[in-house]
Amino acid sequence: MSPCLRVLAGPSLTSLVPITDIVNTSTSHKILSDVFEGEVSVHIKDFTDEHGIVRQSDYFSREDRQGITWSIQVCGRFLVSYCADDVLFGNTFDRPLTMPWGSGAALKFMQYIDPTLEHDLLSPTKPWALSPLISTMPHFAHKRIEEGRSSNRDQTSGACLTIKSQNLVGDEYTDELYLASTTIDTPGSSSSSSPLSSSSSLHSDLTNGGSTIIVNSARRLKKRKKQGEAGASSNLRFDNASQRRQYFSTEAHRQAIQFGPEDVISTDFCYGFLEFQPSLSLRLPGGITFDLMRYWDGQPVRFVCCERKDSNSSNEEGWGRVFWCVVIEMV
């Protein structure tokens, strides 16, 4: 019998509400806190809800989503500025995990598809596995909205609707991402070369004065607008997810991006290696399959977007403040 699932979402681990009734529908759930506002929608192939009712989704019929078994889509913006290297996405747990035989192969597979993955899954307290959001997401879109407008919340919804209606996530829309860069590329200047060719000097700048760059990011973005933007957009425009993920696998490139209230981000975290139906299982290339039900101790599958933990923090968790969270649990 297929396991029945319940899905919850919210702006923190302690502020979750059930969203099971909108899974596999076109309806999204609003998320709002003092640092993030947006909306989330969840799709699970052959989803069986807590009442035993099976719901399908047209999402899995899309040509560009063949082989996908689950999807978590989030669109929104940070209400305060965050460096892209400090915005992480992944899984966190409340107690130690029982790792199955062969789990080393699974970890190697995960780090193969995401070289920026960091984890402490063997933690005796609270295991975790997290990656920078900008480099781990299979699908990513960014859109800049007008700053200083009282209707920013409406602009967020409008930008999210535009991204969805134009399928910009699937098209890897990054044409306006350069506006979130903290480095200045002015037309005709010696610094107008692509960040790919100046990564060493950028790394030096960030290493010696990264905090200054971050603090002054808003001022520098305004300066960019005054100096002109011709040709700058090509520096951070990617034709596909592979180009984006490869570029942002470099720490310095992530540190040079600052997401703030004017940056609406839309992501789709979707894969086919984790199956919830007909049972919870992990399928790896080469025919390797793990029946996760044999090792499941009742912990929910928890996906979080959070801040990188401060190196000076004494908290036992391996992560910082949570921006939003989606939980999938069996009932």
Side-chain angles (χ1 to χ4, degrees):
M1 179 178 177
S2 298
C4 298
L5 304 176
R6 177 167 52 228
V7 182
L8 305 97
S12 71
L13 304 182
T14 58
S15 303
L16 300 171
V17 297
I19 64 167
T20 308
D21 59 334
I22 65 171
V23 173
N24 284 2
T25 71
S26 58
T27 303
S28 58
H29 174 73
K30 303 291 184 181
I31 292 180
L32 178 63
S33 70
D34 59 336
V35 293
F36 181 83
E37 69 169 8
E39 52 191 68
V40 58
S41 58
V42 177
H43 297 266
I44 300 175
K45 194 171 185 178
D46 301 321
F47 177 73
T48 304
D49 68 16
E50 50 201 323
H51 304 294
I53 300 174
V54 179
R55 290 205 302 269
Q56 304 293 345
S57 170
D58 292 339
Y59 173 91
F60 301 104
S61 300
R62 290 174 45 170
E63 184 176 352
D64 60 346
R65 294 299 190 270
Q66 295 302 301
I68 297 299
T69 55
W70 53 277
S71 161
I72 297 175
Q73 299 178 40
V74 175
C75 184
R77 66 188 179 109
F78 296 100
L79 302 181
V80 296
S81 293
Y82 283 96
C83 170
D85 188 50
D86 291 331
V87 178
L88 307 180
F89 177 82
N91 302 102
T92 65
F93 304 89
D94 285 331
R95 55 182 183 270
L97 299 172
T98 302
M99 303 295 287
W101 176 88
S103 57
L107 287 176
K108 288 182 179 179
F109 169 71
M110 295 301 298
Q111 290 187 309
Y112 171 75
I113 64 174
D114 181 10
T116 62
L117 174 68
E118 299 179 28
H119 69 86
D120 186 6
L121 291 175
L122 298 179
S123 169
T125 55
K126 297 187 176 184
W128 55 273
L130 298 164
S131 305
L133 179 141
I134 197 170
S135 60
T136 193
M137 282 294 168
H139 302 282
F140 176 95
H142 165 272
K143 187 172 182 59
R144 180 55 73 95
I145 59 177
E146 295 181 33
E147 61 180 314
R149 291 272 301 275
S150 60
S151 59
N152 266 351
R153 185 166 298 175
D154 293 335
Q155 287 192 71
T156 304
S157 299
C160 289
L161 182 61
T162 299
I163 289 173
K164 287 181 178 180
S165 63
Q166 297 182 4
N167 191 26
L168 298 184
V169 176
D171 293 337
E172 197 68 21
Y173 185 77
T174 55
D175 287 20
E176 299 174 4
L177 187 58
Y178 73 99
L179 292 170
S181 174
T182 59
T183 59
I184 300 177
D185 271 327
T186 58
S189 70
S190 59
S191 63
S192 62
S193 59
S194 168
L196 286 169
S197 62
S198 58
S199 59
S200 59
S201 60
L202 175 59
H203 177 74
S204 176
D205 290 343
L206 289 168
T207 301
N208 296 324
S211 59
T212 302
I213 292 177
I214 293 175
V215 169
N216 293 328
S217 61
R219 184 184 305 137
R220 299 181 75 172
L221 287 175
K222 291 181 180 179
K223 186 177 180 181
R224 174 194 289 277
K225 290 182 178 180
K226 293 179 180 179
Q227 292 177 319
E229 301 172 344
S233 61
S234 62
N235 290 343
L236 289 170
R237 181 184 298 166
F238 306 99
D239 295 331
N240 52 57
S242 295
Q243 290 182 4
R244 168 181 51 83
R245 298 177 73 174
Q246 180 179 6
Y247 180 78
F248 287 114
S249 66
T250 300
E251 181 181 5
H253 293 166
R254 298 193 300 268
Q255 290 179 337
I257 297 295
Q258 192 85 354
F259 292 132
E262 294 83 39
D263 300 291
V264 176
I265 303 168
S266 185
T267 61
D268 187 0
F269 192 73
C270 57
Y271 283 107
F273 55 79
L274 183 64
E275 295 183 352
F276 292 91
Q277 306 293 349
S279 65
L280 185 61
S281 59
L282 178 66
R283 299 185 183 277
L284 304 181
I288 302 176
T289 300
F290 294 98
D291 181 5
L292 299 182
M293 289 298 294
R294 295 176 54 190
Y295 306 95
W296 182 59
D297 63 354
Q299 290 200 68
V301 180
R302 189 166 69 194
F303 298 90
V304 302
C305 178
C306 62
E307 187 176 9
R308 184 183 296 276
K309 181 180 179 179
D310 189 326
S311 59
N312 297 320
S313 174
S314 59
N315 292 338
E316 64 175 342
E317 294 92 350
W319 58 92
R321 173 166 183 169
V322 172
F323 302 125
W324 53 262
C325 176
V326 173
V327 171
I328 302 174
E329 58 185 17
M330 296 186 187
V331 294

